[in-house]
Amino acid sequence: MLELQLKKGTLFENVLEASLDLVNEASVDCSSTGFSLQAVDAKRVGMLSVLFPAQVFEHYRCDVDGSMGITIADMVKALRCANDDDIIDIKADDQNNSIALTFHSSKENSTTAFGLRLVDAKSHRLVVPEWQFLDSTYEAIFCMSSVDFMRICKSLSGIDNEVVISVTKEVVKFFACGKRGSLSIVYRQNETLGKVLNDPL
C-alpha cells in the first residue's frame, strides 16, 4: 500500500505536466524513503528518471517496497480537476490494480474522488548501466533553471520539432527553423553557468 498527500500545484504535479510531451506511461518504484518514476518515450530515444523523497509530500507512507505502472496523461487530467486550495490524497494498491485520488476542499466543504487503472510497469522500464554515465565524456556541460528551459522549449516547439543547441563559454544558443520561420534564443553566461562550463571534465 502506498499513501501520499500533497497540495495543488506542488513539484509532483509540475513534473508530471512537464513530462507529458515526452512520455505517456511510467514505471514507479516505491519504498519507505520515497519513490522513483521512470519512463521511456515510444521511440526509445529519450528517458525520464525522477526521484521524489518522502519529505516533499505533506504525508507519505509505503508499507512494502514495490513497483507499479501509471498512465501519466490520466493522472495529469485528474490532478487538473483539483482546485487551487485542495489537499490531494493518493493511494495505490497493487492487489486492486488501481490508484485512487481524492481532493479535499476546505472552502467548499467537498470531496472529489478519481479511480485510475494501473498499467504494466515492466514494459516501461529501461535498465541503464551506471558505467555508461561514468565513462561518458562531454564537450560542454551547462546548468540552467528548469523554468527557463521549459519556457525556451515551448517557444521553440511552435516553430519546429527539431532544435539545434550550440554552446560556447559565454552563451548557450537554441535555434529552430521551420516552414513558418525561425527562432533563435540565447541564454547568456552567469556565474553558475560559467563555472560549470569551465570546470574540467
Side-chain angles (χ1 to χ4, degrees):
M1 170 69 77
L2 172 68
E3 295 181 358
L4 56 93
Q5 186 179 83
L6 61 148
K7 294 181 179 178
K8 172 72 175 178
T10 53
L11 177 65
F12 176 69
E13 182 181 358
N14 292 337
V15 169
L16 293 184
E17 285 272 6
S19 64
L20 273 180
D21 290 338
L22 176 66
V23 295
N24 184 47
E25 297 179 343
S27 172
V28 177
D29 292 329
C30 312
S31 71
S32 59
T33 58
F35 73 86
S36 60
L37 182 149
Q38 186 187 93
V40 182
D41 74 322
K43 295 181 179 179
R44 301 185 74 82
V45 296
M47 184 184 76
L48 172 70
S49 182
V50 185
L51 172 65
F52 295 95
Q55 294 81 3
V56 304
F57 301 101
E58 301 291 315
H59 165 75
Y60 182 91
R61 170 191 167 194
C62 181
D63 297 329
V64 180
D65 293 0
S67 299
M68 69 186 77
I70 64 171
T71 303
I72 294 178
D74 292 344
M75 181 79 74
V76 169
K77 287 179 182 178
L79 291 171
R80 286 175 178 171
C81 295
N83 296 318
D84 291 341
D85 64 329
D86 283 358
I87 298 297
I88 303 171
D89 287 324
I90 300 178
K91 297 182 180 180
D93 191 340
D94 279 342
Q95 295 180 352
N96 294 331
N97 196 33
S98 64
I99 186 167
L101 292 85
T102 308
F103 309 150
H104 305 279
S105 176
S106 57
K107 291 183 178 179
E108 299 180 6
N109 195 25
S110 65
T111 301
T112 304
F114 281 89
L116 302 175
R117 291 289 183 185
L118 297 176
V119 297
D120 180 19
K122 294 181 180 179
S123 62
H124 303 289
R125 293 196 60 81
L126 180 65
V127 179
V128 182
E130 292 186 7
W131 59 263
Q132 288 190 6
F133 295 105
L134 294 175
D135 290 349
S136 298
T137 57
Y138 304 95
E139 294 182 4
I141 299 175
F142 66 92
C143 178
M144 66 187 301
S145 163
S146 59
V147 174
D148 290 343
F149 185 68
M150 285 182 62
R151 175 182 55 79
I152 290 172
C153 290
K154 286 182 179 180
S155 298
L156 293 165
S157 65
I159 301 298
D160 196 61
N161 292 329
E162 295 184 3
V163 176
V164 176
I165 302 175
S166 55
V167 183
T168 70
K169 291 185 178 181
E170 289 76 30
V171 300
V172 179
K173 182 178 179 180
F174 301 84
F175 179 77
C177 183
K179 294 180 179 179
R180 298 180 180 178
S182 63
L183 176 62
S184 176
I185 300 175
V186 176
Y187 194 81
R188 300 194 179 282
Q189 177 183 5
N190 57 34
E191 291 184 3
T192 303
L193 177 61
K195 182 175 184 294
V196 175
L197 284 171
N198 293 325
D199 278 347
L201 300 177

